[in-house]
């Protein structure tokens, strides 16, 4: 994840007008011919859509699992109501 954050910030500075947004979730998925399906995929996609330019949004579970590893700071964003998700998703932004 630290690499993703680094790439997002580095690429955004290198390419004028490029706006990267990343959503990260965790959980069980199903794989079929190289494609993945499942709730974590949907949540990550919706978090990506909710992110601001050059932001990495994750579920709070990802933040908890990362703990102090990676050396990034976390900012709790709060509960987000995401399209297609029945319950609010507790989210954090990684920096």
């Amino acid at each position: 994840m630290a690499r993703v954050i680094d790439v997002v910030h580095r690429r955004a500075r290198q390419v004028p007008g490029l706006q990267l947004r990343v959503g990260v979730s965790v959980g069980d998925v199903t794989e079929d011919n190289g494609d993945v399906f499942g709730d974590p995929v949907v949540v990550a996609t919706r978090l990506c859509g909710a992110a601001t330019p050059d932001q990495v949004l994750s579920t709070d579970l990802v933040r908890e699992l990362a703990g102090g590893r990676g050396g990034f700071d976390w900012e709790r964003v709060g509960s987000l109501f995401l399209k297609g998700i029945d319950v609010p998703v507790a989210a954090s932004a990684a920096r």
Side-chain angles (χ1 to χ4, degrees), residues 45-59:
T45 300
R46 299 300 185 218
L47 285 171
C48 185
T52 60
D54 305 327
Q55 185 180 45
V56 177
L57 280 183
S58 74
T59 61

Side-chain angles (χ1 to χ4, degrees), residues 25-32 34-44:
S25 186
V26 64
D28 293 328
V29 297
T30 303
E31 187 269 335
D32 183 22
D35 291 326
V36 289
F37 304 92
D39 289 341
V41 177
V42 174
V43 170

Side-chain angles (χ1 to χ4, degrees), residues 18-87:
L18 179 66
Q19 296 180 335
L20 298 175
R21 300 159 198 231
V22 177
V24 183
S25 186
V26 64
D28 293 328
V29 297
T30 303
E31 187 269 335
D32 183 22
N33 291 324
D35 291 326
V36 289
F37 304 92
D39 289 341
V41 177
V42 174
V43 170
T45 300
R46 299 300 185 218
L47 285 171
C48 185
T52 60
D54 305 327
Q55 185 180 45
V56 177
L57 280 183
S58 74
T59 61
D60 275 357
L61 180 56
V62 169
R63 178 187 51 79
E64 291 169 13
L65 291 171
R69 293 183 294 260
F72 19 79
D73 296 318
W74 293 95
E75 177 185 345
R76 289 192 175 171
V77 176
S79 294
L80 301 178
F81 293 89
L82 304 173
K83 180 180 174 185
I85 310 298
D86 293 336
V87 296

